Amino acid sequence: MEPSQTQTSLLAHPLAIPIAIVIAGAIIGGALLIALRQPGSSAAVAAQQPQGAQQPSGDLEAMSPITEGDHIRGDPNAPVKIVEYSDTECPFCKTFHATLQKVTQEYGDDVAWVYRHLPLDQLHSKARKEAVALECAADQGGPSSPLGTSNDAFWKYADRWFELTPSNDKTDIETTLPQIAKEIGLDGSAFATCLKSGKFDAHIEDNVQNAQATGGNGTPWSIIVAPNGKKYPLSGAQPYEAVKQLIELALQEK
Amino acid sequence: MSTIARALLVVFQKPAYILVAVLVAAITFAMAVWMPNLGLVAQVIADPSATFAQKISLPIALLSSISTNFSALSALYTVLIPILFGVNGAMMIYYLKRRIKAAKGNMMAAGFAGMASGIFGIGCAACGSFLLTSILSSFGAAGAIFLLPLRGGEFGIFGVLLLGLSTFLVAKQIQNPAVCSS
């Protein structure tokens, strides 16, 4: 028995598949060629993946210890700590910021939220400067400051930033960074001086390196630390219910 | 009625094929959504201190990340690809069972290329392709993804198109009666 004419002619159609695959290969190859020619397209750059890009492959135990130098929302001695590595231009970080605000409200003294920087430079060119702005806000806080502690100033700035800005480098940072500083009561000229000073560059880079060492290739990247030190990796802007499940699990680990 | 609609009716009259399609689609969707957190899911499932309910509820809760951890475009193709994957798989099985002798090289290639491209294209929110990114990362060139206008979302769209094409081709084959040429 022979296939019908229609069927025979159809056997030619699957040529579309190999052609399509060749086109896909050409796109990948072309992109590769361009990327490999660009300065900075090294493995270090490759590690700066957007959220959820890869399975974490680092060591969670490489996470830098939580210290007084960290920005902590909630009780620093809370049994469960969520260490978040975040990018101010990542839309998923914006979503997750709201999720963690809800977590700290719901869990009170049981959960502390630690904010660290992971600006994805290749994806969000403005994020590193914004990370500096957050540190500059913290820099103006202190025992005698009307803003409250350094920590208070940091979180006021961070909350307003994520509330106000649309992510994906769509913010005019030349106007918005000082605008938020003014709104929350920072000294505008000291803030501007700080932004240009470079005094927090090394600190931010330390955060980035630490995130990558723990397996953070994209943002938001979080590590949930149980009372007994057990760590759970959480990649991406996971829903409140998933974070809640992990907190409950961590609270059992005493 | 279009060729695809007629073929779908023929195949999915039998509940077993609906079951195959739903199972394949559900598993593919779950794997795609869990992909960034497979390590966590494995850790919790293997955790002796976690209750059975916790081992079940965490993976289920993570499925909701389709609404929090995906852009509109990536959520769209992360849903579409598993559906097409399931439908394509069930139709392929139906076709192969009926006409195994007619399933020549090109026919098989069409289906499997469609499925392979689906796997290739499916994945994470922002970069568009988990598998592709991993492959590129292995030789330090994942940055290439960021040069594409949709940050790799192109491969998700490509996967949908290829699976759609594959489904169309299988549907046409199913609709072709086994006619002897004169």
Side-chain angles (χ1 to χ4, degrees):
Chain A
M1 192 195 297
E2 292 291 321
S4 69
Q5 260 194 333
T6 319
Q7 193 176 351
T8 308
S9 66
L10 273 170
L11 291 177
H13 281 265
L15 280 177
I17 310 286
I19 290 168
I21 290 170
V22 168
I23 293 168
I27 293 171
I28 299 167
L32 272 176
L33 275 175
I34 297 165
L36 291 171
R37 277 183 196 163
Q38 300 224 342
S41 61
S42 61
V45 172
Q48 295 170 1
Q49 290 298 303
Q51 67 83 40
Q54 294 175 50
Q55 275 286 83
S57 55
D59 177 9
L60 294 180
E61 296 307 321
M63 188 190 87
S64 298
I66 299 164
T67 66
E68 285 181 359
D70 273 304
H71 307 294
I72 305 171
R73 172 171 272 168
D75 181 358
N77 296 313
V80 172
K81 296 171 186 75
I82 301 175
V83 180
E84 182 204 14
Y85 295 87
S86 183
D87 173 325
T88 45
E89 288 294 344
C90 163
F92 305 103
C93 296
K94 184 181 164 84
T95 306
F96 202 56
H97 195 84
T99 302
L100 291 185
Q101 281 176 322
K102 187 177 173 186
V103 164
T104 47
Q105 280 165 12
E106 300 268 327
Y107 280 89
D109 289 344
D110 282 341
V111 174
W113 171 13
V114 181
Y115 186 106
R116 290 178 179 172
H117 305 284
L118 179 51
L120 304 173
D121 298 320
Q122 196 160 2
L123 202 56
H124 305 131
S125 61
K126 297 176 180 175
R128 196 169 283 253
K129 187 168 183 184
E130 292 155 8
V132 173
L134 263 66
E135 291 298 331
C136 287
D139 197 36
Q140 285 195 30
S144 58
S145 166
L147 288 163
T149 64
S150 164
N151 207 38
D152 291 338
F154 175 88
W155 287 104
K156 276 182 194 166
Y157 199 101
D159 287 350
R160 187 64 180 135
W161 173 268
F162 282 110
E163 180 187 23
L164 193 66
T165 59
S167 308
N168 285 331
D169 275 356
K170 288 178 186 157
T171 303
D172 176 2
I173 57 172
E174 298 309 319
T175 57
T176 308
L177 291 179
Q179 178 198 326
I180 295 175
K182 192 179 171 187
E183 270 186 37
I184 68 164
L186 299 179
D187 175 339
S189 89
F191 181 76
T193 305
C194 175
L195 274 181
K196 290 175 190 164
S197 69
K199 65 194 278 192
F200 293 111
D201 292 357
H203 170 69
I204 290 163
E205 186 53 29
D206 282 350
N207 278 189
V208 171
Q209 295 296 328
N210 187 238
Q212 290 171 357
T214 60
N217 295 316
T219 56
W221 164 244
S222 307
I223 300 169
I224 289 111
V225 186
N228 64 1
K230 191 171 182 176
K231 295 180 177 71
Y232 300 90
L234 187 65
S235 181
Q238 298 303 325
Y240 175 75
E241 275 307 312
V243 181
K244 190 178 169 180
Q245 299 281 345
L246 275 176
I247 292 169
E248 297 296 335
L249 204 57
L251 281 169
Q252 290 173 201
E253 299 284 343
K254 293 185 175 164
Chain B
M1 200 186 293
S2 73
T3 305
I4 287 189
R6 279 197 302 269
L8 288 173
L9 275 177
V10 168
V11 174
F12 293 112
Q13 268 175 355
K14 298 188 177 181
Y17 290 101
I18 296 177
L19 189 65
V20 167
V22 169
L23 275 177
V24 170
I27 291 168
T28 312
F29 174 76
M31 293 306 288
V33 175
W34 289 335
M35 197 68 90
N37 285 296
L38 277 179
L40 171 68
V41 171
Q43 182 183 340
V44 171
I45 287 173
D47 187 347
S49 61
T51 64
F52 179 73
Q54 286 172 320
K55 290 177 187 196
I56 298 293
S57 56
L58 178 72
I60 290 173
L62 286 172
L63 290 177
S64 306
S65 69
I66 190 72
S67 64
T68 58
N69 200 34
F70 289 75
S71 65
L73 174 67
S74 61
L76 181 67
Y77 63 68
T78 302
V79 169
L80 278 178
I81 287 174
I83 292 171
L84 286 169
F85 209 86
V87 169
N88 193 270
M91 290 174 81
M92 187 70 80
I93 291 168
Y94 176 91
Y95 180 78
L96 291 178
K97 279 183 79 175
R98 278 182 62 214
R99 311 177 69 166
I100 191 74
K101 284 179 185 173
K104 293 181 180 172
N106 282 348
M107 180 63 221
M108 298 289 283
F112 287 115
M115 289 194 184
S117 68
I119 293 170
F120 200 59
I122 210 162
C124 72
C127 75
S129 176
F130 169 82
L131 189 60
L132 178 67
T133 311
S134 297
I135 292 165
L136 293 181
S137 294
S138 66
F139 49 100
I145 288 289
F146 304 136
L147 298 172
L148 298 172
L150 299 175
R151 310 287 189 198
E154 290 84 354
F155 295 95
I157 296 167
F158 188 67
V160 170
L161 293 177
L162 218 45
L163 273 168
L165 174 66
S166 173
T167 304
F168 174 72
L169 290 174
V170 179
K172 277 200 145 184
Q173 294 284 25
I174 288 169
Q175 283 303 108
N176 276 341
V179 181
C180 298
S181 57
S182 54

